[in-house]
Amino acid sequence: MNPDQRKNLETMVEALGKSMAQAWSYFYVLKGMHEGAKTSPSVTQAFPWFLEQVWRAMFDAFFAKVGTLVDGTSSTYSLPNLITLVRRYGDSELRKLIPEAEACMSDKTGPLEKIKNWRHSQVAHRTVRGEAHSFHTENKMGLVEIEGALRQLDEAINHLSWHVLSIHNDTNSAFEGLISEGKTLFAAVATGMDASK
């Protein structure tokens, strides 16, 4: 691979790392809200509408960001386009890495496919299909399943970037503290509510 090709791959991997980091940060905010609501239920009872809107906004941001990571549009910094660059620039040994990364994208029944469905039918386009009751039933997800999909995507990107460029991005550990911050925030609001009674 020539220096320009390597630079293109490095630019792609850097952009993917930034997008993965944002996706993880949104996920951890959601998890922090979830944990905070469990430990301080009086807060969700006092502010149900406000917290529901914040929750929905975080999910929309999350689905939009992950949707970009799996978008096949040619001008997008995404896993499919990273695969395309590895296929185009790589030698036969590097191209052998592609099937493992493609497996992440090809499972039509897994959690990553559900995230793609939410992004397309609810967040990006608000389709008739997305409004159907059956869509919600078929694409229902919990935070554990969402976390698994994120890990799968993160591993696929790092699989290629490590073997092709010797770059591994730790995109999630810096944001894990958002869980405890969410719990602390809910606890502080609950304490303030108790003090004002």
Side-chain angles (χ1 to χ4, degrees):
M1 139 183 6
N2 67 44
D4 288 340
Q5 292 170 336
R6 183 175 179 86
K7 180 66 176 163
N8 288 342
L9 282 163
E10 288 172 349
T11 300
M12 174 74 74
V13 166
E14 181 181 349
L16 289 173
K18 289 177 182 177
S19 290
M20 276 304 306
Q22 288 176 315
W24 277 113
S25 72
Y26 299 154
F27 170 77
Y28 283 126
V29 167
L30 288 164
K31 197 164 182 181
M33 288 181 68
H34 176 71
E35 294 296 321
K38 284 193 322 189
T39 56
S40 303
S42 62
V43 176
T44 54
Q45 292 165 357
F47 307 103
W49 190 30
F50 177 81
L51 291 172
E52 181 177 344
Q53 296 311 306
V54 172
W55 180 262
R56 287 177 186 271
M58 288 306 304
F59 259 115
D60 281 357
F62 173 81
F63 288 136
K65 189 56 63 179
V66 175
T68 300
L69 286 162
V70 296
D71 191 335
T73 307
S74 63
S75 61
T76 306
Y77 291 120
S78 65
L79 176 57
N81 291 325
L82 175 60
I83 291 169
T84 298
L85 289 182
V86 172
R87 184 175 283 120
R88 185 179 303 150
Y89 300 154
D91 58 21
S92 59
E93 285 302 307
L94 290 179
R95 285 193 293 272
K96 288 179 185 176
L97 301 169
I98 292 172
E100 187 173 328
E102 285 180 325
C104 172
M105 301 295 297
S106 63
D107 181 3
K108 298 299 180 194
T109 60
L112 194 54
E113 185 67 19
K114 290 180 182 178
I115 290 173
K116 287 192 258 182
N117 290 341
W118 278 105
R119 184 257 178 199
H120 175 77
S121 296
Q122 283 283 318
V123 176
H125 302 294
R126 200 68 175 189
T127 66
V128 172
R129 178 179 173 261
E131 291 299 309
H133 179 72
S134 60
F135 175 86
H136 293 268
T137 303
E138 293 165 8
N139 293 284
K140 184 176 180 180
M141 301 180 78
L143 289 177
V144 171
E145 193 174 18
I146 290 170
E147 184 174 16
L150 262 185
R151 289 198 188 285
Q152 181 184 17
L153 186 56
D154 211 357
E155 287 169 10
I157 292 167
N158 273 317
H159 168 72
L160 290 176
S161 67
W162 176 252
H163 288 95
V164 175
L165 300 169
S166 298
I167 295 172
H168 180 273
N169 287 313
D170 177 4
T171 57
N172 71 330
S173 64
F175 301 102
E176 291 174 340
L178 290 168
I179 298 170
S180 61
E181 284 190 24
K183 289 170 70 173
T184 301
L185 175 65
F186 272 74
V189 171
T191 299
M193 287 170 38
D194 289 342
S196 68
K197 289 180 181 176

